[in-house]
Amino acid sequence: MEPIIPVVAMALVVGGLIGQGFDMRKIRNSIKTGEELNPKNVFADKRNIKWYVMIGAGLVLWYVAGGNFGQ
């Protein structure tokens, strides 16, 4: 029963990173071609907040679980 928490934590982190990657691609495509693509704008976009929260929750859950699979 103990390995469930680290697996959920890893799933949150991986899902957050993948989701953020897709969302960042949408953000970059939505920026007009006349504007200069500034990485600060892409990472600080408000659409990324949900992914940052998901990744952070996964990392906190992993830390609380001890970072192992109950071995």
Side-chain angles (χ1 to χ4, degrees), residues 7-48:
V7 169
V8 170
M10 286 189 300
L12 282 172
V13 171
V14 170
L17 290 172
I18 291 172
Q20 184 187 17
F22 282 116
D23 227 359
M24 287 181 72
R25 185 178 66 187
K26 288 181 194 175
I27 293 167
R28 285 186 177 152
N29 289 339
S30 70
I31 293 176
K32 295 179 178 56
T33 57
E35 283 184 48
E36 187 174 324
L37 184 61
N38 187 354
K40 290 182 183 177
N41 293 341
V42 175
F43 282 101
D45 195 276
K46 64 182 176 181
R47 291 179 272 186
N48 283 330

